[in-house]
Amino acid sequence: MTYHPFHTFGADRTGRWLITCDHAQNFVPEAVAGGDLGIAPEDMARHIAFDPGAAGVSLALGELLDASVVCSNFSRLVIDPNRGEDDPTLVMKLYDGTIIPANRHADAAEVQRRLNLCYRPYHQEVARLAARREDTLYCAVHSFTRQLRGRDPRPWQVGVLFARDERLTAPLIALLEAEGDLCVGANEPYGGHLDGDSVDRHAIRHNRPNVLVEVRNDLIRTEDQQRQWAARLAPLLEEAARLAQV
């Protein structure tokens, strides 16, 4: 069976938005360590391997915004598509207290093999869809864990990450805060820019208005929760674009 490192949904939709989910799956291709990175199933089900709930939110957003959606089909522990090719955390050897045995001795040749197998085809598809129209609006969807091991619980329900371009993020943060029942993180639970990350690669370098939304993963465990969050976010994204006049 041919392995496909991404799935595209709604490729023929005509809306301006492009939705991406870099960490949609915890799948390990057979061509990488025989499909097993050597960590326990319960760790593969944690946030270290993918962004739980983010794919469901992305797909529902795509329906509501008439937007194409691109989801990765490989675990971030195989190779992280939200890192630049020269980023030292591209292939993680230790993540949130868990050692990744199949990555401990991954040399430069193995990293190149994973780049060609997974990372580059995924980004080629995102680049293709982003370039279809000049007025593309780019929305990356992620999720984050409520608490890292040994750390304090995170208070935010949703975070909006940004770097040099705040055309969409500033109004979206204001709109989310105006909802009145959310703890909104601006560049929380972490900063919004790494050179070569997905937003940098596909939006900032092309001057495309962009936003990265992080939803706390305990709030999007079920399909109903994922659809509820998408239904909440979709009109706010549209209003943010209207306010930004982009």
Side-chain angles (χ1 to χ4, degrees):
M1 183 179 295
T2 302
Y3 167 65
H4 297 284
F6 61 86
H7 296 300
T8 300
F9 302 87
D12 57 349
R13 292 176 183 155
T14 59
R16 293 180 63 195
W17 291 92
L18 173 63
I19 312 297
T20 64
C21 190
D22 291 340
H23 302 143
Q25 300 290 337
N26 58 358
F27 181 71
V28 181
E30 181 69 22
V32 177
D36 187 347
L37 297 176
I39 68 175
E42 55 266 30
D43 276 327
M44 284 302 295
R46 291 205 301 133
H47 70 100
I48 65 171
F50 73 127
D51 282 358
V57 175
S58 299
L59 295 180
L61 267 179
E63 293 174 3
L64 293 167
L65 296 172
D66 192 33
S68 299
V69 182
V70 186
C71 292
S72 68
N73 187 31
F74 52 93
S75 171
R76 68 193 304 169
L77 296 180
V78 171
I79 193 163
D80 193 335
N82 197 32
R83 298 291 184 272
E85 292 195 11
D86 59 350
D87 192 298
T89 64
L90 184 66
V91 175
M92 293 288 283
K93 295 175 169 49
L94 174 70
Y95 195 175
D96 195 22
T98 297
I99 293 172
I100 320 302
N103 293 350
R104 291 183 67 182
H105 304 295
D107 59 12
E110 174 63 13
V111 172
Q112 282 296 317
R113 199 172 68 83
R114 297 187 195 185
L115 283 166
N116 290 328
L117 178 70
C118 300
Y119 179 107
R120 288 171 178 152
Y122 170 75
H123 281 295
Q124 287 165 3
E125 176 68 354
V126 175
R128 181 184 75 83
L129 292 171
R132 288 184 304 175
R133 51 190 297 169
E134 293 183 358
D135 61 348
T136 294
L137 302 175
Y138 187 94
C139 177
V141 178
H142 292 256
S143 70
F144 65 96
T145 186
R146 186 169 188 269
Q147 186 172 15
L148 295 169
R149 289 177 174 174
R151 305 284 186 88
D152 292 334
R154 290 162 163 168
W156 312 283
Q157 285 104 5
V158 60
V160 179
L161 276 54
F162 54 91
R164 296 185 294 272
D165 183 357
E166 298 183 43
R167 285 174 291 178
L168 285 175
T169 56
L172 181 61
I173 289 168
L175 290 165
L176 285 165
E177 290 176 339
E179 297 271 285
D181 62 340
L182 292 173
C183 181
V184 182
N187 270 348
E188 299 288 358
Y190 19 70
H193 179 73
L194 292 169
D195 288 339
D197 68 13
S198 292
V199 173
D200 180 51
R201 176 190 294 251
H202 298 294
I204 293 174
R205 295 180 188 179
H206 303 275
N207 197 34
R208 292 183 181 120
N210 63 86
V211 64
L212 190 157
V213 177
E214 293 261 5
V215 183
R216 209 174 70 204
N217 62 27
D218 62 311
L219 303 177
I220 49 174
R221 287 177 176 152
T222 69
E223 184 176 344
D224 281 348
Q225 290 174 321
Q226 293 157 16
R227 287 191 168 276
Q228 287 166 12
W229 267 93
R232 188 172 197 173
L233 289 168
L236 299 182
L237 286 166
E238 292 278 57
E239 178 64 6
R242 187 190 71 80
L243 291 171
Q245 299 182 330
V246 293

